[in-house]
Amino acid sequence: MSEVKLFSGTNSKLLAEKIAKHYGKKLGDLTMSKFSDGEMSPSFNESVRGCTVFLIQSTNPSADNLLELCLMIDAAKRASAYKVCAVIPYYGYARQDRKDRPRVSIAAKLVANILTSAGADRIMTCDLHAGQIQGFFDLPLDHLNGSAIFVPYLERLDTKNLIFAAPDVGGVARARSYAKHFEVEMVVCDKHRKRANEVASMQVIGDVEGKDVVLVDDLVDTAGTLCKAAQIIMDKGALSVRAIATHGVLSGKAYENIENSVLQELVITDTIPIKQSSDKIRVITVSDLFAKAIHAVTGNTSISALFI
């Protein structure tokens, strides 16, 4: 069996250190140099010849994070690594997964092509915005599920009147999986957008009166949808509203929106480093989940045990 080595890009250094600690190895030594104009140049400061290399980097915008990962993949392949696995806790550009209007790109497919062309032999990620993105790759892809860490957290809350809610129609399947596991009901918030990041109207389909509601989503960006959904749910007679979302993009006025909302708390993971702290935002780590997945891949065992 080839030696396993783990390296991190600059965007995911803290998470990569946690993953390496859970895996039982130290992060490899890699330098990311930059020219004065911002051009990046990665170099491995140790041999990776014949090794199975895991490169950990979330590709949230700016595009530098994606390009940096591709340069790391290329450097590893040119250094004669046996296999290169791109560990992408947050797969950026995943919201552009189809042509929903004329003359637009399918960015999620383009990113898949870029990673494949760079030389990745395997992709490992968590909670893609759309599951069908897995089909954009013609190489093995391990799609981990954030429910493996959110379910134990929710079980510890021991809430009596629990009910799950999808903040939009696209998240119904995700919310239903939680409702099925906890054997409770679910509701749907049907929204209509005029443009990106701006909700024109929303209504709740289902009964939330007297319930402790958990909104389920894969990512939270400006938090506009979540906060509006939470307000409408409370107006419908809910006792409390909290939200869980794997990826805390948290751009624009997200922190302000969350602080001023009726949300009891927002629980996210550390797939993306948060920019500031908030009393309403709780961060739980996916490091153990990824470490176990890497163990399974390198040991040629099933990752089925990581799913709830």
Side-chain angles (χ1 to χ4, degrees), residues 45-181:
N45 300 323
E46 58 187 81
S47 176
V48 294
R49 183 178 296 274
C51 297
T52 299
V53 176
F54 289 83
L55 304 174
I56 304 166
Q57 173 85 318
S58 284
T59 58
N60 50 299
S62 71
D64 281 2
N65 293 323
L66 173 60
L67 181 57
E68 183 180 299
L69 175 59
C70 290
L71 292 171
M72 291 162 60
I73 293 170
D74 184 67
K77 296 296 284 190
R78 295 180 188 278
S80 300
Y82 171 60
K83 295 285 185 183
V84 178
C85 176
V87 180
I88 310 173
Y90 172 71
Y91 184 95
Y93 295 92
R95 283 175 282 185
Q96 301 176 59
D97 63 320
R98 65 195 184 281
K99 286 192 70 174
D100 56 354
R101 61 186 188 278
R103 298 176 295 281
V104 296
S105 70
I106 304 179
K109 171 58 176 171
L110 176 61
V111 170
N113 290 344
I114 291 170
L115 292 168
T116 301
S117 297
D121 296 295
R122 188 182 201 100
I123 303 293
M124 185 179 293
T125 188
C126 182
D127 279 351
L128 289 167
H129 186 65
Q132 62 266 26
I133 293 173
Q134 297 172 76
F136 293 170
F137 291 91
D138 292 320
L139 48 84
L141 186 147
D142 301 299
H143 186 207
L144 306 180
N145 196 314
S147 63
I149 55 173
F150 285 126
V151 165
Y153 175 79
L154 293 172
E155 287 175 340
R156 288 194 295 272
L157 294 178
D158 194 28
T159 305
K160 301 300 182 184
N161 301 304
L162 186 66
I163 190 172
F164 289 90
D168 52 43
V169 176
V172 168
R174 191 176 296 110
R176 183 181 289 122
S177 67
Y178 281 90
K180 183 178 179 181
H181 177 82

Side-chain angles (χ1 to χ4, degrees), residues 12 43 51 90 106 112 121-122 141-142 144 166-167 169 171 180 198 205 208 239 241 255 277-278 283 292 297 300 307:
S12 300
S43 61
C51 297
Y90 172 71
I106 304 179
D121 296 295
R122 188 182 201 100
L141 186 147
D142 301 299
L144 306 180
V169 176
K180 183 178 179 181
E198 185 177 322
I205 304 172
V208 296
L239 294 178
V241 185
Y255 290 93
S277 60
S278 169
V283 181
K292 288 177 179 176
V297 168
N300 294 317
F307 294 87

Side-chain angles (χ1 to χ4, degrees), residues 248-250 255 268-278 281-283:
V249 178
L250 300 178
Y255 290 93
I268 58 175
T269 75
D270 54 355
T271 56
I272 300 174
I274 62 170
K275 303 176 184 68
Q276 65 187 70
S277 60
S278 169
I281 299 175
R282 180 184 297 271
V283 181

